[in-house]
Amino acid sequence: MSILEEISTLLQQGRAPKVKALVETALQQGYSAQDILENGLISGMNVIGEKFKNNQVYVPEVLIAARAMNAGITLLKPHLVSDGVKAKGIAVIGTVKGDLHDIGKNLVKMMLEGKGITVIDLGVDVSAETFYNAAMEHHAQLVCCSALLTTTMLEMKRVVDLFSVNYAREKVKIMVGGAPVTQSFCDSIGADCYTPDAASAADAALSFCTSAS
Ligand code: B1M
């Protein structure tokens, strides 16, 4: 079994200290942080997701796996984020109302910070009003909404609509993402940008910030 497969298996078992130790070893062996993230941590979490769907594991096991994932991500953070970059823009980020999934949102936050964008993290279960008020208060150029549930992704339309009725659509770009979100959904609600993963979200965010300045 390769070390990345081992990380994936240990994550599925929720063994946070072991995951942490193996992530450290993989880094020492020269695996890139991106490789460890995608082929170790995320791949393990996808197995848990399938089992969760088929009622083979339940919320406690998923939470323990999520804790192991976060332990690994914490170690990868300095490698995914390049240090010493000057602030290039301001983004507010959150998981939409009714939705408590935050691992993907935290990855997007980390990648944006890595591009030198200041990120105001509103956490999870964030209403359209909270996104709007935070964007106005912090003079953000970007609003980043994450959703993991087919039910809660609809909340993203409320966010776009709220900026529209307040004539604030010109001031901010609204980015959307999360497993059930697609380009066609993004287009249908009038958001500015959909990206399938955190790294491409950061690239898109940076290009919005540089074109605005
Ligand atoms: Co939940 N859950 N969950 N869950 N959970 C899913 C999402 C699900 C697909 C599992 C399944 O059935 N296979 C399913 C959703 C079905 C659907 O709607 N289509 C589901 C369900 C049903 C539920 C509950 C309703 C279960 C219940 O209670 N009956 C419940 C809902 C709670 C709520 O939110 N109100 C629930 C609860 C939970 C836990 C609390 C136990 C836990 C969350 C812990 C936490 O986040 N702190 C949990 C987890 C961990 C999952 C799975 C297993 C993993 C999610 C994850 O973190 N993935 C998930 C199954 C799966 O996805 N395989 C599942 C890893 C993460 C890195 O990926 O967040 O997709 P992701 O982020 C990606 C991209 O999507 C993208 O970047 C990241 C990668 O680079 N991205 C963006 C994300 N946001 C972006 C924003 C952007 C751009 C890109 O721009 C702004």
Side-chain angles (χ1 to χ4, degrees):
M1 197 191 279
S2 77
I3 190 161
L4 299 186
E5 287 166 344
E6 240 181 296
I7 289 171
S8 164
T9 305
L10 289 165
L11 182 140
Q12 292 163 47
Q13 296 165 351
R15 297 169 72 183
K18 287 255 179 202
V19 167
K20 216 172 158 182
L22 269 199
V23 165
E24 206 151 25
T25 309
L27 284 169
Q28 281 159 5
Q29 289 180 0
Y31 285 89
S32 74
Q34 198 63 33
D35 201 9
I36 299 169
L37 178 66
E38 278 167 19
N39 299 313
L41 300 174
I42 292 182
S43 113
M45 193 50 107
N46 283 340
V47 176
I48 283 289
E50 269 310 296
K51 289 188 173 169
F52 190 33
K53 189 164 85 186
N54 299 323
N55 293 321
Q56 291 167 294
V57 298
Y58 298 96
V59 171
E61 287 101 318
V62 181
L63 275 176
I64 294 168
R67 198 181 56 191
M69 173 131 188
N70 280 324
I73 287 178
T74 308
L75 272 184
L76 294 182
K77 184 172 177 177
H79 301 269
L80 292 167
V81 172
S82 53
D83 292 329
V85 198
K86 265 207 216 137
K88 303 244 171 56
I90 300 173
V92 298
I93 193 168
T95 304
V96 297
K97 190 171 174 187
D99 200 322
L100 305 176
H101 297 84
D102 67 355
I103 297 174
K105 183 265 296 171
N106 292 342
L107 277 174
V108 175
K109 174 186 175 187
M110 195 193 294
M111 298 286 185
L112 260 63
E113 287 175 340
K115 295 282 181 190
I117 296 168
T118 300
V119 183
I120 316 296
D121 186 355
L122 304 174
V124 295
D125 193 17
V126 180
S127 68
E129 290 74 17
T130 304
F131 275 112
Y132 177 77
N133 292 337
M136 294 301 117
E137 181 189 342
H138 296 282
H139 306 287
Q141 291 96 340
L142 293 171
V143 170
C144 301
C145 303
S146 180
L148 265 283
L149 300 172
T150 43
T151 45
T152 58
M153 65 194 260
L154 305 173
E155 195 60 30
M156 291 172 166
K157 178 166 163 40
R158 290 203 60 233
V159 176
V160 175
D161 290 350
L162 187 60
F163 279 83
S164 300
V165 297
N166 288 298
Y167 305 102
R169 278 305 273 118
E170 304 303 312
K171 292 185 196 145
V172 297
K173 297 286 180 197
I174 299 179
M175 295 178 57
V176 292
V181 181
T182 60
Q183 183 62 55
S184 67
F185 176 75
C186 168
D187 297 341
S188 75
I189 64 169
D192 295 293
C193 176
Y194 158 75
T195 57
D197 57 61
S200 49
D203 289 338
L206 185 63
S207 75
F208 281 134
C209 290
T210 46
S211 65
S213 62

